[in-house]
Amino acid sequence: MSVHPAAASFQLKDYLAAHERKSLLRFITCGSVDDGKSTLIGRLLYESKRLFDDQLATLERDSRKHGTQGGSIDFALLVDGLASEREQGITIDVAYRFFSTDRRTFIVADTPGHEQYTRNMATGASTADVAILLIDARKGITRQTRRHALLVSMLGIRHVALAINKMDLVGWSEERFNQIGAEFQAFSVNLGFQQVTAIPLSALHGDNVVEPSPQATWYRGPTLLSYLESVEIEQTAGDEPFRLPVQWVNRPHPDFRGFAGLVASGRIRPGDRVRIHPSGLETSVAKIVTMDGELDEAVAGQSVTLTLSDEVDISRGDVITSMERRPRVSDRIDARLFWMATEHLKEGDQFLLKLGAAAVPAKVVTVRQRIDLASLASVPVSSLAANDVGHVVLLLDQPIAFDPYTESRRTGGFILIDRESFDTVAIGLVDGAGSGRDAGSQPARNDGQVTWLKAVREQKRRSVLKAMSWRVIGSVATVAAAFVLTQDTRLAAAIGATEVVTKLVLYYGHERLWTRIKFGLSIAAKPRGTDPQSSGAG
């Protein structure tokens, strides 16, 4: 079996032109472990005749070696490529596959169902337009099904195909199908889905995957593939306000200074007025430059370099926006957080927050609530455990520009990074600006001001105690070492006393000397009304 037609009739230009006219749909498969997600994707590729002959030969060989279906083809092996996945029979990492039909092209992310790898599922869902949420007809809706549905909703996916799988194991019971569908509708009523389409299927045998199943004569809806080919997805990025997070200040020579980045949303033309955030400076676009030359217009999804008509101060992490519908600018963010680390998230924890091209230190001011997966109610808590979803307030060490996630997935999502291990520990979605300093009312803190993130003040007696304890420990160690070497108590004591006096004289003399040397000394202006000592400089 082959995707391509005969070589004599194959026309490359016609083939590429036909694919350029097709729309692109990104979708994910999610659900509990062993619900059949990888098998479904493998069967979908197989039934839609999108596998090459060598892929089929490899699949048949791997099925005999690793398969779980006896002598039959194990379609899960098409996407479960890691050795540990094949050994354990579960999906661990996200597997992306590209395929195309006559009506549409697709990028599918097969995501893991195990609770331990929920973070990988969230990664795959962050760029998807549609979610295929699998449910084992025998087990029904599980806790992990609820968690995945909540994350799908949080990440802005509004179209869900409720794939009720393994219907052959419940005798293709219409009653069971309707029961699961009604239970999910009741659970998801407040999740904001625009469309939930329930489809009964058997991924293992291919029923209702590509062709209608003769086993479910009572079902009148679409097959899974026909649903994916026909679902209407709103393409709103080009209609949103213009946003370009600056990734790089491009200065190849003194006569050129441009600001490069990916257009996150909207469109821009030379001559359009723009505003720079968080500084609030205004200017206009002079040119739109790419490797292929200048453009008359740039739209969402294009990587471009903008040159501006005025010399304005712009750095990596700043955002160039349209004049209308300005973004929020603040150093305090209210956010929904999906916590992925094993340690609990607590108030006072500090991280690096990355939103767009901006990366700033952030502190958890308040852990407000955790979302209960059974009822979707918000429960007051003081910490979040692994795989919890909750509401938090974050304090940043400088204002940044952002949009609420409900208005823009591209400029309203962020991640939290551990500042020691550099692991990504949380996915965050901005709800809005908290009550804090707004950069629109005063200059942003990038003008040489010193700011202090930690709200911890060390008292003088603590500092003195730390310094003295260190000196005492050092002196005792010196005396002990001298006694071991000399076996003379008086000589060891004399050496220790000499070490103490010498250390004090040299230390304070060294400090007084350097107060007179101006080399490498710069003075940073303090914020108005701010005392570093009282701000926790410690």
Side-chain angles (χ1 to χ4, degrees), residues 218-479:
W218 43 266
Y219 176 68
R220 298 290 185 269
T223 65
L224 180 63
L225 182 60
S226 61
Y227 167 81
L228 294 173
E229 288 183 325
S230 60
V231 61
E232 294 294 334
I233 303 300
E234 300 79 10
Q235 303 292 338
T236 59
D239 300 326
E240 294 175 2
F242 175 71
R243 302 283 189 267
L244 186 141
V246 177
Q247 298 178 357
W248 177 42
V249 179
N250 185 1
R251 183 110 182 179
H253 53 77
D255 297 328
F256 184 91
R257 184 166 177 258
F259 307 97
L262 175 71
V263 180
S265 62
R267 57 188 70 241
I268 196 71
R269 299 178 182 86
D272 288 351
R273 295 288 295 176
V274 293
R275 186 185 296 269
I276 315 303
H277 294 283
S279 66
L281 299 173
E282 297 181 11
T283 182
S284 60
V285 176
K287 298 177 182 178
I288 303 174
V289 182
T290 69
M291 287 293 293
D292 298 323
E294 296 183 16
L295 301 179
D296 295 328
E297 182 182 56
V299 299
Q302 288 183 295
S303 294
V304 298
T305 297
L306 301 184
T307 64
L308 306 177
S309 57
D310 302 300
E311 290 292 335
V312 293
D313 183 13
I314 301 177
S315 303
R316 174 181 167 84
D318 290 350
V319 183
I320 304 176
T321 76
S322 55
M323 298 295 292
E324 69 279 359
R325 292 175 61 186
R326 303 173 186 172
R328 315 285 177 86
V329 178
S330 179
D331 64 352
R332 199 176 182 97
I333 291 178
D334 290 337
R336 288 165 291 161
L337 212 63
F338 169 55
W339 182 247
M340 303 187 299
T342 54
E343 301 84 2
H344 281 52
L345 173 73
K346 306 177 296 299
E347 295 178 0
D349 288 349
Q350 298 184 26
F351 306 96
L352 190 67
L353 180 146
K354 190 174 189 310
L355 193 159
V360 297
K363 174 182 176 181
V364 179
V365 178
T366 306
V367 179
R368 287 181 171 172
Q369 300 163 330
R370 174 180 60 82
I371 300 177
D372 181 77
L373 293 179
S375 62
L376 296 183
S378 296
V379 181
V381 293
S382 59
S383 65
L384 296 179
N387 294 322
D388 276 350
V389 178
H391 293 83
V392 302
V393 179
L394 300 172
L395 176 65
L396 315 182
D397 82 334
Q398 66 183 52
I400 62 172
F402 54 85
D403 292 291
Y405 192 82
T406 53
E407 297 178 9
S408 175
R409 295 175 67 179
R410 301 154 193 86
T411 53
F414 62 89
I415 59 174
L416 293 182
I417 302 171
D418 185 276
R419 299 177 69 175
E420 293 184 359
S421 66
F422 293 99
D423 290 336
T424 299
V425 293
I427 294 175
L429 312 177
V430 177
D431 285 332
S435 55
R437 179 159 38 249
D438 188 335
S441 60
Q442 67 178 48
R445 286 180 283 175
N446 59 357
D447 53 1
Q449 295 178 339
V450 178
T451 59
W452 307 93
L453 185 59
K454 284 189 175 181
V456 179
R457 181 178 180 180
E458 185 172 72
Q459 298 179 353
K460 290 184 178 180
R461 58 186 179 182
R462 174 183 169 88
S463 299
V464 171
L465 182 60
K466 285 168 58 179
M468 292 303 298
S469 63
W470 172 246
R471 287 172 171 79
V472 170
I473 292 172
S475 298
V476 171
T478 300
V479 172

Side-chain angles (χ1 to χ4, degrees), residues 1-4 42-52 56 99-101 210-211 225:
M1 178 166 50
S2 176
V3 175
H4 299 307
R43 173 64 77 169
L44 183 62
L45 295 173
Y46 178 82
E47 292 288 345
S48 60
K49 296 179 172 48
R50 299 298 155 180
L51 298 178
F52 295 100
L56 279 175
F99 70 101
S100 178
T101 67
V210 173
E211 299 294 336
L225 182 60

